[in-house]
Amino acid sequence: RGSRYLAPPCVGRALLRPPAGPARAAAPPLRWASSFSEPGPTESSPSEGQVFLSESCVKRLLEIAEGSEFLRLQVEGGGCSGFQYKFSLDTVINPDDRQEQRSGARVVVDVDSLAFVKGSMVDFSQELIRSSFQVVSNPQAEKGCSCGTSFSLKF
């Protein structure tokens, strides 16, 4: 089935699929499943390649993901600051993918993209003019655009 692209927040397209009923059962763990917890002083360092999921991200993913779908986070060249985040709902796990899981919600990041977002928090923000998944508190990013879609790297 593949992936469904979710437009970046500055495009103004929202993920507003209605909830599909009661919470879904968690999918079987993947080969690279990692433990999840909120970042804190006793957690592993970002160099270990962990991405964290906020409560609002988990809640929204459980509402919109159908069956074996998960949120895929990719980093691509482009945007107004040099790199941009791309979110899509996907069902295909590639050999170089890494997964973060919390309460049945899954976010998958390929190894190349993980180098740009390790230590970050994936959040879901809902405002009057848009609602979107966002990467927040990215320790790899120096600055970004006002909509939160693109960023430049720290050197």
Side-chain angles (χ1 to χ4, degrees), residues 4-17:
R4 292 186 288 145
Y5 174 69
L6 304 176
C10 58
V11 173
R13 184 171 163 212
L15 295 172
L16 297 175
R17 193 180 331 154

Side-chain angles (χ1 to χ4, degrees), residues 8-97:
C10 58
V11 173
R13 184 171 163 212
L15 295 172
L16 297 175
R17 193 180 331 154
R24 295 173 190 83
L30 298 177
R31 193 165 117 199
W32 289 288
S34 60
S35 61
F36 173 81
S37 60
E38 291 290 327
T42 60
E43 297 305 330
S44 58
S45 71
S47 64
E48 293 182 28
Q50 196 168 12
V51 175
F52 302 97
L53 311 180
S54 72
E55 287 290 330
S56 61
C57 173
V58 170
K59 181 179 178 211
R60 186 63 180 152
L61 272 175
L62 291 175
E63 291 172 353
I64 67 169
E66 296 175 350
S68 62
E69 284 182 327
F70 53 83
L71 183 67
R72 177 173 294 282
L73 167 58
Q74 294 172 288
V75 174
E76 300 177 336
C80 55
S81 299
F83 294 94
Q84 61 188 356
Y85 303 113
K86 178 181 174 186
F87 292 97
S88 60
L89 289 176
D90 200 349
T91 58
V92 178
I93 300 290
N94 300 313
D96 70 335
D97 287 341

Side-chain angles (χ1 to χ4, degrees), residues 126-149:
Q126 192 161 9
E127 302 168 5
L128 289 175
I129 60 170
R130 69 174 175 224
S131 59
S132 62
F133 288 100
Q134 298 178 347
V135 173
V136 296
S137 305
N138 184 351
Q140 313 311 313
E142 183 174 58
K143 63 179 180 175
C145 66
S146 61
C147 69
T149 301

